[in-house]
């Protein structure tokens, strides 16, 4: 009798698991690596595979990585809450999702908390301040890149009307020094540290720098429960605390994640003009 009862309970449990299976749909983890760097989308899925596998266990649902290169596609997906989790390079897109679509900030990426746009000029440039850029030519990354949003906010603070300037936008940041070297623009703006260092090493000058903005945010959809959000956050913050976690981070090229105050992030959004 006891054996039959055990078998019946096992059968009932198996049936319940089968019934439960359909609602265990895959959660979507969107990943955007920016538009001004050459990152092939096909590489992105593999970079986050180990982390997605861990998130599947934590959330008890499959998690699939969806690379999203186009900012407008990313915006639509966030507005529609199509992404349960999202790794977002452009801070302005992330902030828009937090402000307008109820997403919550899980963490920011270590090493990118003080992303700063630098205004470059040639060694022999007569320009001495941002005010001198009024009405002049400026080279900058993609118009919708976080760098260019920071550039326009910084010009606004300096009372320089970007609309009255001739700004040449380029998809890739490494084209900015070319503009200045070939006298196509009077100055150029970039947030790529390697470019800034190389520019200074050649004798180029830094005219000014923007306010720092943390980029590369991880956000969670309002569709996830508070307990799920907290479990994911705890996992992310602990990743760099073990050899196993650091190995999972290695393909992403990031050293880890840390907390950031969501209210302060929204204040930066206001400065950006969002």
């Amino acid at each position: 009798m006891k054996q039959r009862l055990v078998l019946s309970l096992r059968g009932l449990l198996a049936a319940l698991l089968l019934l439960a299976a359909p609602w265990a749909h895959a959660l979507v983890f969107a990943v955007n690596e920016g538009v001004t760097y050459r990152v092939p989308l096909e590489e992105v899925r593999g970079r986050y595979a180990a982390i997605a596998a861990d998130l599947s266990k934590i959330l008890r649902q499959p998690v699939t990585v969806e690379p999203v290169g186009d900012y407008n596609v990313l915006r639509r997906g966030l507005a529609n809450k199509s992404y349960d989790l999202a790794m977002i390079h452009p801070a302005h897109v992330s902030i828009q999702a937090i402000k307008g679509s109820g997403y919550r900030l899980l963490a920011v990426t270590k090493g990118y908390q003080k992303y700063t746009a630098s205004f470059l000029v040639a060694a022999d440039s007569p320009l001495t301040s941002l005010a001198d850029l009024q009405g002049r030519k400026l080279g900058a990354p993609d118009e919708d890149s976080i760098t260019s949003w920071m550039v326009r906010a910084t010009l606004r603070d300096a009372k320089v009307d970007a609309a009255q300037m001739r700004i040449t936008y380029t998809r890739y940041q490494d084209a900015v020094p070319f503009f200045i070297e070939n006298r196509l623009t009077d100055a150029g703006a970039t947030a790529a540290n390697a470019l800034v260092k190389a520019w200074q090493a050649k004798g180029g000058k830094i005219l000014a720098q923007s306010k720092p903005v943390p980029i590369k945010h991880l956000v969670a959809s309002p569709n996830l429960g508070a307990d799920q959000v907290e479990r994911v956050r705890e996992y992310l913050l602990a990743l760099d605390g073990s050899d196993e976690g650091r190995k999972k981070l290695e393909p992403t090229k990031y050293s880890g994640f840390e907390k950031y105050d969501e209210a302060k992030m929204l204040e930066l959004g206001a400065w950006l003009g969002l």
Side-chain angles (χ1 to χ4, degrees):
M1 181 70 179
K2 187 176 180 181
Q3 188 175 8
R4 280 187 202 168
L5 180 60
V6 170
L7 289 172
S8 294
L9 288 172
R10 284 178 180 171
L12 179 61
L13 179 60
L16 288 172
L17 288 172
L18 285 171
L19 287 171
W23 62 258
H25 64 280
L27 299 174
V28 179
F29 179 17
V31 177
N32 176 277
E33 296 281 8
V35 296
T36 62
Y37 299 96
R38 294 178 173 88
V39 182
L41 291 181
E42 60 270 17
E43 288 185 14
V44 175
R45 192 171 280 107
R47 290 184 183 186
Y48 292 86
I51 290 175
D54 282 349
L55 292 174
S56 296
K57 295 173 187 174
I58 291 168
L59 297 171
R60 300 187 183 93
Q61 286 179 255
V63 174
T64 60
V65 178
E66 183 176 326
V68 185
D70 185 274
Y71 284 8
N72 288 325
V73 172
L74 180 63
R75 283 188 176 99
R76 285 195 295 272
L78 292 165
N80 295 330
K81 302 177 182 62
S82 301
Y83 310 131
D84 301 286
L85 297 165
M87 172 75 181
I88 304 174
H89 167 91
H92 58 296
V93 175
S94 169
I95 294 168
Q96 285 170 333
I98 295 168
K99 183 179 177 181
S101 300
Y103 277 77
R104 285 158 287 184
L105 181 64
L106 291 171
V108 298
T109 311
K110 287 184 177 180
Y112 296 89
Q113 305 99 313
K114 295 184 178 180
Y115 193 72
T116 305
S118 295
F119 292 79
L120 316 180
V121 292
D124 61 353
S125 173
L127 307 181
T128 60
S129 71
L130 285 178
D132 294 334
L133 285 176
Q134 185 68 56
R136 291 183 177 268
K137 297 177 182 177
L138 176 71
D142 187 283
E143 187 172 3
D144 195 25
S145 67
I146 178 57
T147 304
S148 285
W149 277 82
M150 292 163 67
V151 164
R152 291 188 294 268
T154 304
L155 290 172
R156 183 198 65 230
D157 287 352
K159 311 300 182 187
V160 176
D161 186 356
Q164 298 302 314
M165 296 177 66
R166 286 161 288 177
I167 301 179
T168 300
Y169 293 105
T170 177
R171 183 170 175 79
Y172 299 114
Q173 296 211 38
D174 49 15
V176 170
F178 175 86
F179 292 154
I180 309 167
E181 290 167 344
N182 291 276
R183 309 294 176 178
L184 300 173
T185 61
D186 301 294
T190 179
N193 283 332
L195 290 180
V196 174
K197 288 178 181 178
W199 185 255
Q200 290 177 300
K202 292 190 296 185
K205 296 188 296 186
I206 306 300
L207 186 66
Q209 289 186 308
S210 74
K211 181 186 296 189
V213 173
I215 60 167
K216 300 183 185 296
H217 308 164
L218 267 152
V219 299
S221 164
N223 294 331
L224 293 183
D227 60 325
Q228 292 176 303
V229 169
E230 199 50 45
R231 288 203 302 271
V232 174
R233 182 183 283 117
E234 287 175 4
Y235 165 76
L236 293 169
L237 299 180
L239 261 178
D240 62 342
S242 67
D243 289 339
E244 183 183 358
R246 286 189 288 272
K247 284 179 184 176
K248 291 171 182 176
L249 280 167
E250 199 171 309
T252 70
K253 309 284 175 67
Y254 304 136
S255 60
F257 302 98
E258 72 173 30
K259 284 184 179 179
Y260 194 87
D261 185 77
E262 192 173 283
K264 288 182 179 178
M265 191 67 78
L266 289 172
E267 286 177 10
L268 284 171
W271 173 71
L272 289 168
L274 300 170

